[in-house]
């Protein structure tokens, strides 16, 4: 795997995570940009449909996968990003194996390429992606990846979208535990804190709407998901430094 022209690579655990968490920032990141869905592999035919996919209206796992793949392609096109999908199946359809496709991807990148990984808030698959990327970058002798806040999870902080968001996440028992775990081994510095303008919000909303198959269940869990003042209204990215 060799993609030497990519200057920014975003590891998105699932098909909607990059759009939900970073659609406002992606157009301004150094390009070319690649959005890499880690758990984007096709499910094996023998699996029954998962609870989540059934709730989203699908009858079979492969029907859900085909729809999500097409949704992601549309979102990436709108965001001006290259779509790349690793072959690890999503959680309900996987075997619990480590997402080793991350290793090959990161080893093929230039040392100075920017890699963005999720904090891991309230989602075990997100934390697996984060921890794997941290370990691989360290083994390669490359700088740590950048860290992005997982939305909509972190967007439920009362301080979200304010200058207090970073400090609030560092003490929140609701959605900050993964961030607090990381702080034991790394120092963080806010690199981007975007409060979306009306124009940025409109563009983000269009990209998020591409992932239509999951929006109704997400809204059931996260309330006013698509409201201008909802959890997606701000985006936060940190740089990392390993503690000595």
């Amino acid at each position: 795997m060799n993609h030497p022209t990519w200057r920014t690579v975003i590891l998105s655990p699932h098909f909607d995570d990059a759009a939900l968490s970073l659609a406002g920032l992606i157009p301004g990141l150094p390009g070319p940009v690649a959005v890499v869905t880690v758990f984007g592999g096709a499910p094996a035919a023998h699996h029954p449909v998962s609870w989540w996919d059934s709730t989203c209206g699908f009858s079979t796992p492969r029907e859900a996968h085909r729809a999500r793949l097409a949704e992601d392609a549309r979102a990436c096109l709108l965001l001006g990003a290259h779509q790349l999908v690793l072959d690890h199946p999503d959680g309900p359809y996987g075997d619990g194996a480590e997402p080793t496709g991350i290793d090959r991807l990161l080893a093929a990148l230039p040392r100075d390429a920017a890699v963005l990984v999720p904090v891991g808030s309230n989602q075990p698959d997100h934390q697996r992606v984060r921890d794997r990327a941290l370990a691989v970058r360290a083994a390669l002798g490359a700088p740590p990846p950048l860290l992005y806040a997982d939305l909509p999870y972190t967007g439920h902080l009362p301080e979200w979208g304010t200058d207090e968001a970073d400090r609030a996440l560092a003490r929140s028992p609701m959605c900050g535990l993964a961030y607090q775990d990381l702080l034991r081994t790394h120092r963080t510095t806010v690199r981007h804190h975007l409060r979306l303008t009306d124009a940025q919000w409109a563009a983000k909303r269009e990209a998020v709407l591409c992932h239509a198959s999951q929006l109704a269940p997400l809204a059931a869990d996260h309330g006013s998901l698509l409201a201008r003042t909802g959890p997606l209204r701000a985006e936060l990215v940190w740089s990392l430094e390993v503690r000595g």
Side-chain angles (χ1 to χ4, degrees):
M1 187 182 296
N2 186 20
H3 304 287
T5 63
W6 291 346
R7 295 184 61 200
T8 302
V9 171
I10 297 164
L11 296 186
S12 180
H14 307 106
F15 280 118
D16 56 353
D17 291 313
L20 291 168
S21 301
L22 292 169
L25 278 167
I26 286 172
L29 295 175
V33 176
V35 170
V36 181
T37 301
V38 176
F39 296 105
H46 68 272
H47 285 289
V49 67
S50 70
W51 171 86
W52 179 258
D53 286 344
S54 176
T55 301
C56 291
F58 296 109
S59 300
T60 70
R62 293 202 168 181
E63 180 189 18
H65 181 260
R66 286 192 299 269
R68 300 245 168 79
L69 192 63
E71 290 174 344
D72 186 58
R74 291 193 293 272
C76 287
L77 184 64
L78 285 176
L79 294 170
H82 182 89
Q83 180 195 39
L84 181 66
V85 180
L86 302 186
D87 60 3
H88 305 292
D90 195 7
Y93 310 119
D95 58 6
E98 282 296 301
T100 54
I102 292 174
D103 306 27
R104 297 186 295 275
L105 171 75
L106 297 185
L109 295 177
R111 178 182 168 84
D112 62 350
V115 177
L116 284 80
V117 302
V119 171
S121 302
N122 297 19
Q123 226 297 340
D125 281 347
H126 291 211
Q127 193 158 346
R128 288 174 67 199
V129 169
R130 181 198 80 184
D131 290 346
R132 188 81 189 186
L134 284 169
V136 171
R137 292 283 282 186
L140 292 169
L146 299 174
L147 188 75
Y148 66 85
D150 325 57
L151 292 175
Y153 306 105
T154 55
H156 290 288
L157 288 169
E159 300 86 355
W160 188 247
T162 74
D163 290 339
E164 292 296 312
D166 173 61
R167 289 182 286 275
L169 191 63
R171 60 176 181 266
S172 171
M174 175 182 66
C175 55
L177 297 182
Y179 184 60
Q180 293 155 29
D181 172 66
L182 191 67
L183 288 176
R184 288 196 281 269
T185 55
H186 292 75
R187 285 183 286 272
T188 62
T189 302
V190 174
R191 180 84 165 263
H192 302 285
H193 191 185
L194 177 65
R195 287 87 154 180
L196 279 75
T197 65
D198 286 346
Q200 288 169 325
W201 172 252
K204 178 171 184 171
R205 181 179 179 276
E206 188 176 6
V208 169
L209 285 174
C210 290
H211 296 280
S213 69
Q214 302 194 76
L215 294 182
L218 279 174
D221 288 340
H222 299 285
S224 302
L225 185 73
L226 292 176
R228 176 71 177 84
T229 56
L232 308 185
R233 68 186 181 275
E235 298 174 2
L236 193 54
V237 174
W238 299 263
S239 58
L240 295 175
E241 180 185 357
V242 178
R243 293 186 183 274

